[in-house]
């Protein structure tokens, strides 16, 4: 965690959340107790802030300051509003291309995907407030700075974001092996949002039920899956190929 992107101390973290700071994740000491800690837990849950329990040694490695059993990471970017982003893209007259990441949890995969998204002209990336990879130093480094060029939206529920996009005339396609349709057989020239799933479970089954189409990449080896950032790159460059 970058020193400039962290807050330590229970009261300081509570005040940062209440002030609307982009608190990405909070590390809580195992077995931490007390009224102030209970206030922090209540505040995090009310604002849907990601948190995880860690040993004291982990917190001591994050900071040498008096952390009181809690250290928070602050996102180095400001997240954008989904409705505003979609409206701006449509009004600019270009064919929208969005990327939805359904509980992708690895910061380095996230960074690699952001880098590819920037190179392929993605208009915005949509992630959930809970269960998503943090935007931290690893994300910034792996993205080669692209994280500052691609708008990122944090939404309460991925399914609600999909419904909004569909209502805005944007087709949604989920990347999944649970289909017979290849990405190379689909039309990708219209307004589009591609959904990529988590590293271990893929796209959530409840999300698969509501998307417009599902697509997979052909596989010819003995390994049945690709790294999610590699698969995402293949999907996005097929969009580029078709739109050229």
């Amino acid at each position: 965690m970058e020193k400039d992107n962290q807050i330590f101390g229970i009261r300081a973290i509570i005040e940062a959340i209440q002030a609307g700071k982009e608190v990405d994740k909070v590390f809580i000491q195992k077995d931490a107790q007390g009224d102030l800690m209970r206030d922090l837990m209540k505040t995090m849950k009310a604002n849907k802030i990601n948190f995880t329990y860690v040993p004291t040694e982990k917190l001591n490695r994050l900071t040498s300051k008096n952390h009181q059993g809690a250290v928070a990471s602050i996102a180095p970017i400001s997240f954008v509003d989904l409705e505003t982003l979609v409206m701006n893209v449509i009004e600019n007259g270009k064919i929208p291309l969005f990327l939805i990441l359904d509980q992708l949890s690895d910061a380095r995969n996230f960074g690699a995907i952001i880098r590819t998204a920037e190179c392929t002209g993605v208009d915005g990336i949509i992630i959930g407030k809970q269960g998503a990879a943090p935007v931290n130093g690893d994300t910034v480094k792996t993205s080669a700075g692209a994280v500052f060029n691609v708008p990122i939206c944090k939404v309460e529920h991925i399914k609600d974001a999909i419904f909004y996009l569909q209502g805005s005339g944007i087709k949604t396609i989920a990347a999944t092996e649970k289909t017979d349709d290849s990405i190379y057989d689909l039309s990708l020239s219209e307004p589009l949002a591609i959904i990529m799933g988590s590293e271990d479970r893929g796209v959530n089954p409840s999300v698969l039920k509501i998307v417009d189409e599902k697509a997979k990449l052909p596989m010819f080896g003995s390994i049945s899956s690709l790294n999610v950032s590699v698969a995402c790159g293949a999907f996005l460059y097929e969009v580029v190929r078709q739109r050229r």
Side-chain angles (χ1 to χ4, degrees), residues 28-160:
I28 302 293
Q29 180 179 317
K30 287 181 178 178
D31 303 322
Q33 297 178 356
D35 292 339
L36 202 54
M37 182 60 74
R38 282 191 286 273
D39 288 344
L40 173 58
M41 298 301 296
K42 186 185 301 182
T43 302
M44 289 191 298
K45 290 176 181 177
N47 290 273
K48 295 183 169 58
I49 302 296
N50 282 326
F51 66 91
T52 186
Y53 292 104
V54 297
T56 306
E57 292 77 14
K58 166 78 172 179
L59 297 177
N60 292 340
R61 288 196 298 270
L62 292 175
T63 180
S64 59
K65 307 292 185 180
N66 179 21
H67 50 68
Q68 300 175 312
V71 177
S73 63
I74 304 297
I77 63 168
S78 294
F79 297 102
V80 302
D81 175 71
L82 176 61
E83 295 183 15
T84 302
L85 174 63
V86 172
M87 182 173 59
N88 288 342
V89 172
I90 292 174
E91 289 180 350
N92 285 338
K94 66 174 297 187
I95 303 173
L97 175 59
F98 296 104
L99 186 60
I100 300 174
L101 304 180
D102 181 23
Q103 294 198 321
L104 183 114
S105 59
D106 185 271
R108 291 182 177 86
N109 275 336
F110 190 18
I113 286 173
I114 296 170
R115 184 174 184 174
T116 303
E118 202 272 346
C119 291
T120 53
V122 168
D123 296 301
I125 298 174
I126 301 161
I127 62 175
K129 284 189 175 181
Q130 292 185 301
V135 181
N136 57 19
D138 284 336
T139 314
V140 173
K141 183 177 181 180
T142 313
S143 77
V147 69
F148 301 115
N149 300 331
V150 182
I152 299 178
C153 306
K154 260 192 177 182
V155 297
E156 294 285 349
H157 303 290
I158 290 294
K159 289 196 291 185
D160 287 344

Side-chain angles (χ1 to χ4, degrees), residues 100-103 157-160 162-163 166 172-175 195-197 202-214:
I100 300 174
L101 304 180
D102 181 23
Q103 294 198 321
H157 303 290
I158 290 294
K159 289 196 291 185
D160 287 344
I162 290 173
F163 287 136
Q166 291 169 332
T172 57
I173 298 179
I195 301 106
M196 306 298 300
V203 177
N204 193 297
S206 65
V207 171
L208 290 177
K209 291 178 181 179
I210 64 172
V211 298
D212 297 304
E213 297 192 63
K214 297 183 281 287

